[in-house]
Amino acid sequence: IQRCRQFPHRITELIMERTQRQSDLSIDAKPLSIEKLFADFYAVPDFQREYVWQPENVEQLLDDICDEIYDENGSVVANAEYFIGSIVVYEDATGIFQLIDGQQRTTTLFIILSVLRERLGHLDTLQSLILQKKMNLLTAEEETLYRVRLLYDDAIGALEKITTQDKEGLEQLEQTKSVVNLRGAYEEARDFLYERLGEDKKKWAHFFVDFTTRVKLIRVLTPSQAGALRVFETINATGVGLTPMDLLKNLLFRKVKPSDFQKVTADWKELTEEIAKASETNPLRFLRYFVLSRFDTKTPKPLPEDAL
């Protein structure tokens, strides 16, 4: 148990150590509770991949949180905390943290807060974790923003409709992959919490406090987008949780100017769709064949996908 409690701090050390071995990049990595995390504003850039978490991923997250924080009688375990990994961000000119890694978890945490808001809308503390006024650093004007915004086309306003409990509006959206997955995540989180907490607002309030103060992650802040992309690649060098196609896409964005991001995003989407249509295979398998045909991989053939 003691090792588990020390784990977030060790992860911070490892992230710093691995990144600094490869460059002199200046980064700030610190553990944050959900409450501290959503004291800031986040956006998922339009070149990011869609939201892919399935209901079972959301259920597993909530199960793990409850198993770690509560005992078999439902009482809070003394000093219990649950660590859910790291995210990588950089701060843009408007003071918004752009999410380069960790958008799946961050989006899911925000969805869970939105479900809690349905029962605890009277709590100003909870409202401020969802929506808050912010001074725009470029225009010097105050604006009201959601704490998390998905900027890629595949999401098309779904997160906002979840947050405002606009179920009818959510159903009327084009049912893209992200919209379907976001709906599934919301419905799973809602079902899980209602099954566990029932209609008792006091139980919901206690869970809100435990969720926002005892669930923690590491936020890795870099001074630039290029730095964030580099840290993303460093952390995910083993490919755990990401496919080689994801890492290749990240590499492409590291090599182009920000002004070209929109074009590269469109070209990447067209490329992967054409591969899928033309070859009766997925882009990852195509990438494997491409690598085998062009490079000496110095591995026994056939090259496994997880070695790409």
Side-chain angles (χ1 to χ4, degrees), residues 153-197:
D153 291 339
D154 200 59
I156 54 175
L159 193 57
E160 289 79 5
K161 294 192 180 301
I162 286 173
T163 304
T164 57
Q165 303 170 38
D166 184 3
K167 299 174 186 176
E168 184 177 341
L170 188 61
E171 292 173 357
Q172 291 174 352
L173 291 176
E174 179 187 350
Q175 298 302 296
T176 63
K177 183 183 294 186
S178 285
V179 171
V180 170
N181 291 337
L182 287 164
R183 284 183 61 189
Y186 162 72
E187 291 166 1
E188 178 58 43
R190 193 175 189 277
D191 290 346
F192 183 99
L193 292 176
Y194 270 97
E195 182 178 345
R196 182 177 181 90
L197 305 174

Side-chain angles (χ1 to χ4, degrees), residues 46-92:
D46 57 4
F47 61 82
Q48 288 277 36
R49 66 175 179 167
E50 66 274 2
Y51 182 79
V52 298
W53 269 31
Q54 299 299 303
E56 53 266 29
N57 300 123
V58 179
E59 181 184 19
Q60 186 66 60
L61 174 63
L62 285 165
D63 256 335
D64 290 345
I65 290 171
C66 291
D67 287 346
E68 189 68 26
I69 294 176
Y70 304 107
D71 63 20
E72 60 274 11
N73 298 317
S75 300
V76 175
V77 176
N79 301 317
E81 292 182 342
Y82 183 66
F83 175 64
I84 60 171
S86 64
I87 64 173
V88 179
V89 303
Y90 75 94
E91 189 173 7
D92 67 17

Side-chain angles (χ1 to χ4, degrees), residues 145-156:
L145 294 176
Y146 288 106
R147 293 292 186 178
V148 177
R149 290 179 297 152
L150 308 181
L151 303 182
Y152 49 91
D153 291 339
D154 200 59
I156 54 175

Side-chain angles (χ1 to χ4, degrees), residues 243-244 281-286 288-289 302-308:
T243 70
T281 187
N282 60 50
L284 180 57
R285 190 170 302 165
F286 177 88
R288 175 174 172 270
Y289 293 148
L303 176 71
E305 288 182 356
D306 60 6
L308 275 170

Side-chain angles (χ1 to χ4, degrees), residues 35 96 143 171 177 179 183 200-201 255 265-266 291:
E35 180 182 36
I96 304 293
E143 51 193 12
E171 292 173 357
K177 183 183 294 186
V179 171
R183 284 183 61 189
D200 189 339
K201 283 193 174 182
K255 298 295 184 182
T265 299
V291 170

